Amino acid sequence: KYFVQMKLSYKGQMFELPNEPLLSLGLTKTIVKTATVGKQRKGTVKEYICTEDYVISIKGVCINVDEPELYPADQVAILNDLVDINDALEVETNAFLELFGIRKLVIEDIKFDEMVGESGLQRYTISAISDQDFYADLNEKDTEKNNLLA
């Protein structure tokens, strides 16, 4: 997990996530395993199908730095606005995600955790997945098709 500045955008509107959230990510491959036949054979035959999207977890805390006793309603409202977008968001600033070539992400859900005894804090967790433009896949398909015909 890494503390890093995180800025996202959608159609020119910028969203900066509060207080440098923690990021973690994972990647899964889809592999079909087929059992082998015979007493002397052990294990399975593995067939790679595809690599899934990166799964991204963004954990942070909203706090009103100027008045730490007040609930950070403005920051929570920004997060709500961000989650209301039902489209891919551009990653504007994040060195960690750039290492993995993640330039777009789609938010799947957000959780606001309880903060017992902390009236001026709000913890949140955003679950997202990486995204890429679909036309890139179509271009790859055309290239493969032309290679087969040549």
Side-chain angles (χ1 to χ4, degrees):
K1 296 183 179 179
Y2 296 89
F3 276 112
V4 284
Q5 184 181 30
M6 178 111 183
K7 285 185 185 176
L8 303 170
S9 70
Y10 182 69
K11 294 186 178 181
Q13 185 178 4
M14 296 292 283
F15 299 89
E16 184 170 355
L17 278 75
N19 305 312
E20 297 181 348
L22 278 171
L23 291 176
S24 60
L25 71 114
L27 184 66
T28 301
K29 292 181 179 182
T30 300
I31 298 174
V32 173
K33 295 183 266 183
T34 305
T36 56
V37 179
K39 285 184 179 181
Q40 303 304 317
R41 302 190 94 151
K42 294 181 181 176
T44 58
V45 175
K46 288 91 177 160
E47 180 183 5
Y48 169 81
I49 302 300
C50 69
T51 301
E52 302 290 335
D53 297 320
Y54 282 98
V55 176
I56 304 161
S57 176
I58 305 165
K59 295 181 179 185
V61 176
C62 300
I63 182 170
N64 185 335
V65 179
D66 298 327
E67 298 182 56
E69 296 301 315
L70 289 178
Y71 185 77
D74 292 346
Q75 293 176 20
V76 172
I78 289 170
L79 293 174
N80 267 333
D81 290 345
L82 192 60
V83 173
D84 282 343
I85 297 170
N86 296 322
D87 203 353
L89 302 164
E90 300 282 339
V91 177
E92 295 293 335
T93 304
N94 190 276
F96 181 62
L97 294 181
E98 185 63 33
L99 288 173
F100 298 93
I102 300 171
R103 293 176 183 87
K104 290 184 177 189
L105 58 82
V106 175
I107 294 177
E108 291 187 307
D109 65 57
I110 188 167
K111 294 179 180 92
F112 292 103
D113 297 325
E114 71 281 349
M115 298 292 295
V116 177
E118 300 289 343
S119 61
L121 299 173
Q122 180 60 65
R123 193 173 11 187
Y124 66 90
T125 302
I126 295 174
S127 298
I129 54 174
S130 63
D131 192 33
Q132 62 183 16
D133 291 326
F134 184 68
Y135 65 83
D137 293 340
L138 293 176
N139 289 338
E140 289 173 15
K141 184 178 177 183
D142 289 342
T143 303
E144 288 176 17
K145 185 177 177 183
N146 290 336
N147 289 340
L148 291 174
L149 295 176

